[in-house]
Amino acid sequence: MIYRAEEVRERFARRGLSFDPTVEEIVRGILAAVREEGDAALDRFSLDLDGHPVEEIPKKAWRQAYEDLDEELRDALETAKERIEAFYREEAKGGFLKADASGLLGQMVRPLSRVGVYVPGGSAPLLSSLLMSVVPAKVAGVAEVIVASPPRVHPGVLAAAWVAGADRLFAMGGAQAIAALAYGTQRVPRVDKIVGPGNAYVVAAKRQVFGTVGLDGLAGPTETLIIADGSASPRLLAADLLAQAEHGPDSEPWLLSPDRALLERVEVELSRQLEGLPRAEIAKRALERGGLVLTQDLEEALELANLYAPEHLCLALADPLPWLGKVQNAGGVFLGEGSPEALGDYIAGPSHVMPTSGTARFQGGLAVRDFLKVIPVMGLAEGAVKELSAKGALLARAEGLEGHARSLDLRR
């Protein structure tokens, strides 16, 4: 079905994360139990929910899983790791220290000490998510990266952990894994920050432990919005929409274009390509959550895209670069139909851990900066202290904080 722009505008504008109160209550109980009972509760929930107790998988098992991989898959993993690492080494992460007549002012930039990376299990083992999270953390200088993935960890995830340089890996999943990482148990050390996507229970747990640990964000269903002009290939557009749709029935694939004939050809292509897709039923349900949208022109398409704030924004245009400056809200931008989002999922370089559900309005994709903290440094000269203290005391008294003012008065 092809929508008109006005039919989706309000839906795009009101997007945001939603939370199931039943899930929230269940997760609250799991977090409380793991926090109070530690490993006993962690094992109990793991057995009940995953059918397997929590275990730390030793590095020799990761190395063996890596060596057992097909040689071409090993090479793909290594290439992905190299490209992700090279991309993030370009990200500035240094501080500064500046001296002038007033003294010293600056910033120290320090990596986090310990980070937890959650890697989902489920129907598709996301070994790429491990690379996309662990490698930027290691580039940032995080001393210890701990991976958590549901029991019966897929060998590809173990091999990816070996390639990425993770430090420890626990077979544990769900809200109980988030609780263990946030609070620590006898076996699982407490981390400073938790990153990585997960199901509704994982997201609810991350939300509830925020403040005890830092978070990369709260992930909702994955989404792609493509803007195309008449130069785009209907066959490639349909393939890119289906690549997004097969993630899950709650995924949202969108195509916006002012070219009705193009949208009609894509509609035909979608039906044709669905026939041979192994996850066709999942993709069909996702296509119903997204759609094809006819806009007046490309300007309106960009306006709607900024309103929607997609995780992935694909500009399938004959000349996409002039439109890049108009992009305000997006997790990641893919220029031209020769740069498909599927490449970004695996091997292009930037992390595929990106904001969803409209949160690209206020946050970006996972990066080196997410694993760093900025510490201001002040060392003022005596003359500057005397000059600034008088004005500082005025501000303190305006706030009713006499103790602050007297502290500054003594410096005058």
Side-chain angles (χ1 to χ4, degrees):
M1 177 179 178
I2 298 174
Y3 298 98
R4 297 190 308 276
E6 54 267 28
E7 293 179 290
V8 300
R9 185 179 299 276
E10 183 64 19
R11 178 177 170 185
F12 282 15
R14 297 178 66 85
R15 282 183 0 113
L17 287 163
S18 59
F19 301 96
D20 184 330
T22 302
V23 170
E24 292 281 310
E25 191 58 37
I26 291 170
V27 167
R28 193 170 290 110
I30 292 173
L31 296 182
V34 173
R35 186 174 192 175
E36 293 168 11
E37 303 172 42
D39 285 329
L42 185 59
D43 282 335
R44 183 170 71 249
F45 288 120
S46 190
L47 281 167
D48 289 347
L49 300 174
D50 294 324
H52 199 282
V54 171
E55 62 173 332
E56 182 175 0
I57 300 178
K59 280 193 174 182
K60 64 181 181 181
W62 316 359
R63 176 62 185 261
Q64 189 60 54
Y66 170 78
E67 292 177 348
D68 289 343
L69 286 182
D70 174 83
E71 185 176 348
E72 290 185 348
L73 181 53
R74 279 205 310 270
D75 180 65
L77 272 176
E78 294 284 2
T79 301
K81 187 256 186 178
E82 289 166 8
R83 289 186 62 86
I84 297 165
E85 186 174 55
F87 180 87
Y88 285 106
R89 289 204 181 280
E90 293 297 319
E91 186 178 342
K93 58 177 191 285
F96 70 92
L97 195 62
K98 180 182 177 182
D100 58 23
S102 70
L104 289 173
L105 288 174
Q107 290 179 339
M108 296 190 304
V109 179
R110 296 289 185 266
L112 303 182
S113 297
R114 185 184 290 133
V115 166
V117 172
Y118 188 86
V119 180
S123 59
L126 298 181
L127 51 119
S128 57
S129 289
L130 189 149
L131 290 175
M132 299 290 185
S133 302
V134 173
V135 174
K138 281 298 181 182
V139 170
V142 175
E144 189 175 17
V145 179
I146 297 174
V147 176
S149 192
R152 299 179 182 84
V153 180
H154 191 277
V157 172
L158 297 180
W162 179 261
V163 171
D167 295 286
R168 299 177 71 178
L169 191 154
F170 288 88
M172 60 181 184
Q176 63 272 21
I178 300 301
L181 292 170
Y183 304 132
T185 71
Q186 294 86 345
R187 283 175 294 173
V188 183
R190 178 184 179 184
V191 302
D192 302 314
K193 190 168 191 174
I194 301 173
V195 305
N199 63 18
Y201 292 89
V202 169
V203 173
K206 286 176 72 176
R207 189 164 81 101
Q208 291 183 28
V209 300
F210 178 67
T212 301
V213 291
L215 300 178
D216 57 336
L218 300 175
T222 187
E223 62 213 19
T224 286
L225 187 148
I226 305 173
I227 296 176
D229 59 19
S231 70
S233 160
R235 182 169 60 92
L236 293 179
L237 291 174
D240 291 347
L241 290 169
L242 290 175
Q244 185 63 49
E246 74 171 354
H247 271 292
D250 54 359
S251 301
E252 291 195 10
W254 292 95
L255 171 62
L256 279 58
S257 178
D259 191 322
R260 176 176 278 278
L262 175 70
L263 295 176
E264 290 172 349
R265 292 197 296 272
V266 170
E267 200 168 28
V268 172
E269 272 293 323
L270 285 170
S271 297
R272 187 184 67 79
Q273 293 184 30
L274 270 169
E275 291 178 6
L277 195 67
R279 295 166 69 90
E281 290 307 312
I282 291 173
K284 284 178 184 176
R285 291 168 63 189
L287 288 171
E288 293 171 359
R289 292 182 59 87
L292 313 180
V293 180
L294 179 65
T295 61
Q296 291 183 6
D297 47 35
L298 290 178
E299 284 81 2
E300 184 178 46
L302 260 295
E303 179 208 343
L304 287 172
N306 284 324
L307 198 61
Y308 185 80
E311 178 185 13
H312 311 112
L313 174 60
C314 306
L315 301 180
L317 307 172
D319 187 11
L321 271 177
W323 295 94
L324 183 60
K326 297 180 182 293
V327 175
Q328 183 66 35
N329 301 322
V333 182
F334 300 80
L335 298 175
E337 63 180 19
S339 298
E341 186 274 325
L343 269 183
D345 273 346
Y346 295 108
I347 206 165
S351 174
H352 72 202
V353 180
M354 294 177 177
T356 64
S357 304
T359 59
R361 292 180 296 109
F362 53 81
Q363 70 180 79
L366 193 69
V368 168
R369 63 180 175 270
D370 291 295
F371 302 102
L372 300 172
K373 55 191 176 186
V374 177
I375 305 170
V377 178
M378 292 154 283
L380 298 177
E382 184 178 354
V385 172
K386 289 182 178 180
E387 178 185 347
L388 296 174
S389 289
K391 295 178 181 179
L394 284 173
L395 293 172
R397 289 190 169 99
E399 293 183 348
L401 298 175
E402 183 62 24
H404 283 64
R406 292 181 184 182
S407 170
L408 295 176
D409 287 343
L410 291 174
R411 266 76 182 183
R412 293 169 60 182

